[in-house]
Amino acid sequence: MKGQIVKALLLTATGMSFAGSASADEPQLSPAIVSGSYVQISNVPWQVALTFNGYQNCGGIIIGKKHVLTAAHCVENVNPYLLKVVAGVEDMADVTSENSISVTRIDSHPDYDDHSLRSDIALLHLASEIPDSASPIAILPPTKQHELDAQFAVAETRNLFVSGWGQTGTNSYASRFLQFTVMNGVDDFTCFGNDHNGVYSSFICANSSEPTGICYGDSGGPLIWQDPLATSDSDQGYFAVGVVSFTSWEGCATVNNEDGFTQISSYYNWISEKMGGYQKPDVTFEMDLFNLRTDYEPDTTLPLVESTSGGGGSLPIWFLTLMLPAALIRASLRITAR
């Protein structure tokens, strides 16, 4: 991390607005992640939002019909009965009882360190299966980690895909609509220093030569890589390789400062144990993640709260008009490359 201090990307509840939540007839949209583009949920069906006591504060990754990965710092000391997983939704105005799933159990990794953010990963067990509009994605097994590392070592660009509803900038707003951006994988030794007590096995790093990247509220979300040897597979070789964990203390999307993601393959066996045996999902994807349209515009005419046929399914207006800035900073990690 070249001497930088990092910030965990959890959001906490205060009274500021979502980007794009001015009014139904005068929408004011801002790109989020940071300098990202809007994306349809059908292109990222594994993406979920986590809501705690009604407030959206993190993202997550569907890895099974009833299992979601997220960051441990998102769910530390959280009562699972106050946590919901929102699946199959790109517009936070569409959150209803039908797509908001209860959590029955939270398994945070036992080695999670709130200071260093080591082992910043947790598994959520859902009360019911994900909706048809959502889909799991495969997680990268340890046997394939060397392929990803080899690609990072030659500095290939635009080989990682990340999405979320996080803030549009360090001092900006959370997004009502799902966003994505594409980043560059960074070699472990370049990022962390090759003698930093093996920290490179805990994290994946990514950066960009442009001011784009993750920000507060994106924590727990998916970092996706495509295996170049598996593009003809039904799932096109897409793997979840990282969980959004932290950014630079200097702010979000500062050029060439690495963002940090928990390396999923390092926790593959733990995940499988907690799931009672992980099986790669049998899914078919047709999207080309690394060549998605960047001019897609969501339907901004919908009101922030819509009624549902089930009755009582809409979340209250204060949920959809509050954003959650980075007031709670759990970690202050200093890593020096040598």
Side-chain angles (χ1 to χ4, degrees):
M1 301 293 288
K2 300 182 177 64
Q4 64 181 306
I5 300 173
V6 301
K7 284 185 177 181
L9 297 177
L10 177 70
L11 295 180
T12 58
T14 62
M16 298 179 70
S17 299
F18 272 115
S21 63
S23 68
D25 57 349
E26 292 184 351
Q28 298 182 13
L29 301 177
S30 299
I33 279 192
V34 177
S35 298
S37 302
Y38 299 113
V39 62
Q40 294 173 285
I41 194 64
S42 58
N43 286 322
V44 285
W46 49 79
Q47 171 83 55
V48 299
L50 304 188
T51 65
F52 174 67
N53 210 18
Y55 294 89
Q56 188 267 330
N57 69 328
C58 277
I61 315 164
I62 300 171
I63 63 168
K65 290 291 187 179
K66 297 180 71 174
H67 292 95
V68 166
L69 281 183
T70 190
H73 76 256
C74 287
V75 293
E76 187 179 25
N77 300 320
V78 166
N79 184 330
Y81 298 104
L82 298 178
L83 192 66
K84 300 284 188 181
V85 168
V86 178
V89 169
E90 66 189 72
D91 179 356
M92 292 307 292
D94 288 339
V95 178
T96 68
S97 58
E98 285 75 19
N99 51 40
S100 187
I101 307 169
S102 297
V103 175
T104 59
R105 193 172 95 216
I106 299 171
D107 286 322
S108 292
H109 197 278
D111 295 334
Y112 169 61
D113 186 307
D114 196 43
H115 173 73
S116 69
L117 290 181
R118 295 279 191 94
S119 305
D120 187 16
I121 192 168
L123 181 69
L124 308 182
H125 301 259
L126 307 184
S128 58
E129 291 191 354
I130 56 174
D132 291 341
S133 53
S135 177
I137 188 170
I139 59 175
L140 191 73
T143 54
K144 295 188 74 66
Q145 182 66 40
H146 71 281
E147 297 174 24
L148 181 146
D149 291 339
Q151 191 182 90
F152 289 2
V154 297
E156 184 169 330
T157 60
R158 295 179 56 81
N159 56 352
L160 292 171
F161 178 102
V162 64
S163 52
W165 289 272
Q167 288 182 207
T168 64
T170 304
N171 298 307
S172 191
Y173 303 96
S175 176
R176 169 182 165 182
F177 301 97
L178 186 60
Q179 304 283 323
F180 82 94
T181 193
V182 178
M183 303 185 72
N184 311 325
V186 176
D187 178 71
D188 287 331
F189 300 143
T190 302
C191 180
F192 288 114
N194 60 11
D195 60 350
H196 191 75
N197 299 320
V199 72
Y200 50 83
S201 67
S202 297
F203 300 116
I204 286 174
C205 285
N207 65 14
S208 177
S209 58
E210 304 295 330
T212 187
I214 56 178
C215 203
Y216 314 115
D218 291 322
S219 274
L223 183 71
I224 307 301
W225 174 73
Q226 185 177 34
D227 180 357
L229 302 178
T231 57
S232 61
D233 291 356
S234 62
D235 63 1
Q236 297 206 53
Y238 293 137
F239 286 95
V241 298
V243 176
V244 176
S245 184
F246 58 80
T247 192
S248 169
W249 193 271
E250 297 176 13
C252 301
T254 53
V255 174
N256 290 324
N257 276 341
E258 297 89 356
D259 290 332
F261 305 80
T262 301
Q263 181 170 291
I264 291 174
S265 67
S266 297
Y267 305 95
Y268 185 94
N269 291 337
W270 174 82
I271 293 168
S272 183
E273 176 190 347
K274 293 301 179 182
M275 290 180 68
Y278 172 76
Q279 292 186 341
K280 183 181 178 182
D282 182 13
V283 293
T284 298
F285 298 136
E286 297 180 355
M287 76 292 282
D288 182 354
L289 282 184
F290 295 91
N291 288 287
L292 288 181
R293 290 173 49 192
T294 57
D295 61 348
Y296 168 68
E297 292 289 339
D299 185 354
T300 62
T301 63
L302 295 175
L304 281 174
V305 171
E306 295 202 289
S307 62
T308 63
S309 58
S314 296
L315 292 176
I317 189 66
W318 48 260
F319 161 57
L320 291 168
T321 56
L322 295 181
M323 67 80 69
L324 314 167
L328 180 59
I329 303 304
R330 296 185 184 276
S332 56
L333 170 66
R334 186 183 298 275
I335 302 176
T336 304
R338 298 184 182 185

